[in-house]
Amino acid sequence: MTFDMWFTLAVLAIAIVLFITEWLRIDVVALAVLVALMMSGILTTSEALAGFSSTVVITILALFIVGGGVLQTGLAGMLGERILRIAGTDELRLMIVIMVAVALLSGFMSDTGTVAVLLPAVIALARSANISPSKLLMPLSFGALLGGAMTLIGTPPNIYVSDLLAQEGEQSFEFFSFTPVGLILLIAGVVFMVLIGRYLLPDYASEEPTTRFGDKPDELLELYLDENLDHGRVSSKSALIGQTVAESALYRDHNITIIEILRPEPDQELATIGGQKLVVQSDKHQPILPQPDTVIEQDDILVMQGNAEALSAAKRVYILKNDYPDDVRSALITEKFGIAEVILRPRSSLVGKTITDVNFGRVYRLTVLEIIRPRSDKTLDIKTTPLEFGDTLLVQGYWEDILALRKKPYDFIVTGEPESALKQANHRRAPIAAIILGAMLIALVFGEDLLVRMTGNAGLGDIINVASISLTAGLLMVLSGCLTMDEAYDAIDWKSIILIAGMIPMSTALQKVGLADAIANGMTNYLGGYGVYAVMAGLFLLTSVFTQVLSNTATTVILAPIALFVARQMGVAPQAFLMTVAIAASMAFASPVASPVNTLVMGAGQYHFRDYIRIGMPLVFVMLIVTLIAVPLVFPF
């Protein structure tokens, strides 16, 4: 082996270790890979930076925007809820409908967004049917992963392998090329869960649910806070007058949190007659979200959360009166601020730290009202409890600050649709989003053929491709008002974009220095003697193992070129091998950290790591068998 081969292999090995351990963020690792290959001279500057102009990257970026428009307008939630209405209350029927519904939706939009939107509805269905959520939430997650294998845009690996085929002069995949195999995999997955998986699913029905998800903010208020809320008007004799929220001893002495202040609006002066001012007294109150430096004034109405006995004692100590307007509860959720649930990701920077350690209120401008830990019924102290993976934080604050947490997908998963209280008007644009999404899908399926037939110019077919259609659809989402440009930027998972753009040069380097060819030779020599199916099985197992600890995109970028080289060395059509890699990259069933959708349902379903292994591992092997049977039928060798 040459020095360049050893160096490239070392960079790849270090990158894989860093991806698995996440000692560095994965996007930082990808950029480091790019710089190392460029500075070493293995790749030219243009080769190292080619990922940022790749049609794969541009397409995925545009599809994030399209998906953002679908989610922002509430279209995804509407579609999901209508599909779930036919589920009834039978556990078996519910499981089947949920898996099929989420698979169909995730075939056309982000699987994480789809699961986040459907999660509250599925939990509500489970409760109404008197079924433990743990019986339905893992099927929801697995259905989303299976749905990603059903269309070209279902998941980034599908787009990448198709683009790789096109670059290498091979017949690339079309929009529905994945659908025949994807449907067979979905049917096999549903059958497995019905016949075997549902008996392996844990039943935590006997335990009191510790994580409760509400779709709308007012539902969250009812779920979490109704029993722990009280109100008190600051009387003229209260010691709280003139103190800031931070200075008051309500939390220190009574473990009480002020979650809102209702301040009387000033009297309105109408006119001055003969030196006398004519005023109209206002009976309205202005809601104020308390900050540490907010000064408490006389006649403020404090909305407080805490233990009932502590609330009663604090009202006596600080002379807080019970006379307040009837609309206090409705003022807790307004167009400006409200509450939402946030789940901590497996490798969130907050894990192991307390709310105080991270200065949560100052950094994120939000108040944590409660910490809910899966499989624990203990009341956790908000300021002193070290946070763990899977903890759900009930946060309160301005809607823009709550939604800003979605810009930090490495740390948080914001569940449900908290923007529903802020952007009801945007839901009126759901039909527009549906039209744009439908037109994009039609163009992806028939666009090139239609243009060529209409013009008779085959060269114009190059204009209609996945990248141009996706960009056009994303632009229309913005121009039509389905989402603003700022929201479009927020909808893009920039970490994934940098990851793909940074790892594409690694694929180029593997080919340039001859490592891809060498690894392919090794696989061919060791497995080729057992036949093509043995090589396919090897590629599937290697990819599925990697995807349990790496992102599916990074796994595909590393292994797809190797699969292409193996196919060429064996003299078979490469489509079957690349399809195998793309499918295996979506089979992230065996670990809660393998995919964000698994993380999303872990807390709500009260799952353990062993639950994913017990159900996910057999399902991976079922998918292996089905893939070995189905892929060669659709893509013969």
Side-chain angles (χ1 to χ4, degrees):
M1 288 179 60
T2 65
F3 172 79
D4 286 352
M5 295 175 73
W6 281 113
F7 184 85
T8 303
L9 190 61
V11 172
L12 176 60
I14 293 171
I16 291 174
V17 170
L18 292 175
F19 281 143
I20 294 173
T21 61
E22 292 204 15
W23 291 333
L24 292 176
R25 285 171 48 125
I26 60 174
D27 46 351
V28 174
V29 175
L31 287 175
V33 167
L34 181 156
V35 171
L37 295 174
M38 180 172 58
M39 297 302 292
S40 66
I42 291 174
L43 296 181
T44 65
T45 301
S46 59
E47 288 173 333
L49 300 179
F52 290 96
S53 61
S54 167
T55 55
V56 174
V57 173
I58 300 301
T59 300
I60 294 171
L61 183 148
L63 289 174
F64 276 131
I65 297 175
V66 174
V70 171
L71 294 173
Q72 199 83 344
T73 58
L75 175 62
M78 296 175 196
L79 292 174
E81 288 177 4
R82 291 188 179 183
I83 294 173
L84 292 178
R85 284 176 189 170
I86 68 174
T89 58
D90 179 72
E91 180 181 335
L92 184 59
R93 185 178 178 185
L94 274 168
M95 179 182 291
I96 295 172
V97 171
I98 287 170
M99 290 190 71
V100 173
V102 72
L104 292 176
L105 290 174
S106 63
F108 302 100
M109 63 189 74
S110 161
D111 54 4
T112 305
T114 302
V115 171
V117 168
L118 293 185
L119 180 63
V122 171
I123 291 177
L125 282 173
R127 288 178 182 151
S128 64
N130 197 27
I131 300 170
S132 170
S134 62
K135 288 291 188 180
L136 299 177
L137 293 181
M138 196 174 287
L140 173 72
S141 172
F142 289 176
L145 294 172
L146 290 168
M150 290 181 62
T151 67
L152 177 64
I153 64 173
T155 187
N158 298 358
I159 300 172
Y160 178 79
V161 296
S162 180
D163 187 74
L164 179 61
L165 284 170
Q167 289 181 13
E168 296 296 322
E170 303 284 350
Q171 178 64 45
S172 62
F173 296 127
E174 297 180 352
F175 186 83
F176 286 120
S177 294
F178 291 83
T179 305
V181 178
L183 282 174
I184 295 172
L185 289 169
L186 175 61
I187 293 170
V190 172
V191 170
F192 171 84
M193 293 303 296
V194 168
L195 298 181
I196 300 174
R198 68 186 178 120
Y199 299 107
L200 299 176
L201 284 167
D203 185 355
Y204 297 124
S206 60
E207 300 180 20
E208 181 67 21
T210 55
T211 304
R212 300 161 291 178
F213 289 83
D215 191 2
K216 302 295 188 294
D218 56 343
E219 293 175 352
L220 294 178
L221 182 64
E222 181 178 351
L223 282 173
Y224 286 106
L225 300 179
D226 267 0
E227 298 178 356
N228 301 315
L229 284 182
D230 204 349
H231 321 78
R233 182 178 61 81
V234 180
S235 69
S236 59
K237 298 180 181 179
S238 175
L240 294 175
I241 296 175
Q243 292 185 358
T244 65
V245 171
E247 291 170 345
S248 72
L250 282 170
Y251 185 85
R252 184 180 67 250
D253 294 347
H254 302 278
N255 202 27
I256 289 173
T257 301
I258 302 175
I259 64 174
E260 192 168 62
I261 297 175
L262 299 178
R263 181 158 293 167
E265 291 186 354
D267 296 337
Q268 184 178 1
E269 182 179 333
L270 295 181
T272 302
I273 303 175
Q276 297 293 322
K277 293 182 179 179
L278 182 61
V279 299
V280 175
Q281 288 187 329
S282 174
D283 59 353
K284 296 182 179 179
H285 290 75
Q286 175 67 35
I288 298 172
L289 190 66
Q291 302 296 326
D293 57 353
T294 301
V295 178
I296 300 172
E297 299 180 0
Q298 180 179 338
D299 292 327
D300 280 351
I301 296 173
L302 307 183
V303 184
M304 301 170 289
Q305 178 204 16
N307 177 272
E309 295 181 0
L311 288 168
S312 178
K315 291 175 73 171
R316 290 194 304 271
V317 171
Y318 295 104
I319 316 179
L320 303 177
K321 301 296 185 180
N322 287 322
D323 52 323
Y324 45 79
D326 296 332
D327 62 346
V328 168
R329 188 182 185 279
S330 64
L332 287 172
I333 300 172
T334 69
E335 292 184 356
K336 290 184 177 181
F337 48 81
I339 58 178
E341 292 169 314
V342 178
I343 302 175
L344 295 189
R345 293 289 301 274
R347 296 178 180 89
S348 169
S349 61
L350 282 72
V351 170
K353 302 175 183 176
T354 67
I355 295 296
T356 303
D357 291 338
V358 297
N359 286 318
F360 195 94
R362 197 171 297 278
V363 172
Y364 301 104
R365 303 203 310 171
L366 295 168
T367 300
V368 177
L369 302 179
E370 193 167 350
I371 302 173
I372 306 94
R373 180 157 295 165
R375 301 173 301 278
S376 173
D377 56 1
K378 295 180 180 179
T379 300
L380 303 177
D381 186 273
I382 294 173
K383 294 194 175 183
T384 61
T385 300
L387 298 173
E388 296 181 1
F389 151 59
D391 283 352
T392 298
L393 309 182
L394 182 69
V395 298
Q396 182 210 25
Y398 288 100
W399 288 119
E400 55 263 34
D401 293 326
I402 291 175
L403 295 175
L405 297 182
R406 285 187 171 168
K407 301 177 185 178
K408 302 179 182 296
Y410 183 83
D411 290 322
F412 307 106
I413 298 174
V414 182
T415 68
E417 295 184 86
E419 63 270 26
S420 60
L422 180 65
K423 298 179 179 178
Q424 287 290 347
N426 210 34
H427 286 198
R428 294 196 297 269
R429 293 187 170 88
I432 299 175
I435 292 171
I436 295 172
L437 179 63
M440 183 189 77
L441 298 179
I442 292 171
L444 286 171
V445 177
F446 304 109
E448 182 176 345
D449 290 339
L450 284 176
L451 186 63
V452 172
R453 289 177 183 177
M454 290 173 59
T455 62
N457 186 346
L460 291 178
D462 294 336
I463 299 174
I464 302 298
N465 52 53
V466 178
S468 63
I469 293 171
S470 303
L471 277 173
T472 303
L475 179 61
L476 289 175
M477 284 287 186
V478 174
L479 293 177
S480 63
C482 291
L483 74 173
T484 66
M485 197 62 200
D486 287 338
E487 290 166 345
Y489 285 124
D490 293 343
I492 299 169
D493 185 351
W494 290 104
K495 184 176 66 172
S496 296
I497 296 298
I498 298 298
L499 171 64
I500 301 168
M503 288 305 294
I504 285 177
M506 172 54 73
S507 175
T508 304
L510 288 173
Q511 299 176 54
K512 189 173 181 180
V513 303
L515 266 176
D517 201 15
I519 297 172
N521 278 329
M523 289 197 68
T524 304
N525 292 334
Y526 282 106
L527 296 175
Y530 297 99
V532 178
Y533 285 94
V535 176
M536 279 186 63
L539 287 171
F540 186 100
L541 291 173
L542 184 61
T543 305
S544 61
V545 168
F546 270 50
T547 204
Q548 306 306 321
V549 292
L550 304 181
S551 76
N552 59 358
T553 303
T555 298
T556 305
V557 171
I558 293 170
L559 295 180
I562 296 172
L564 180 66
F565 274 68
V566 171
R568 287 178 172 173
Q569 289 184 359
M570 297 187 68
V572 300
Q575 284 78 8
F577 284 9
L578 288 177
M579 176 72 72
T580 298
V581 169
I583 289 171
S586 294
M587 304 296 109
F589 306 125
S591 167
V593 300
S595 171
V597 296
N598 290 349
T599 305
L600 256 176
V601 303
M602 185 181 184
Q606 305 181 67
Y607 298 121
H608 300 267
F609 270 76
R610 63 178 180 268
D611 295 325
Y612 290 89
I613 297 173
R614 184 174 65 249
I615 304 166
M617 287 297 292
L619 183 55
V620 169
F621 283 103
V622 169
M623 294 298 106
L624 166 62
I625 296 170
V626 174
T627 299
L628 293 178
I629 296 172
V631 169
L633 294 177
V634 181
F635 298 97
F637 301 127

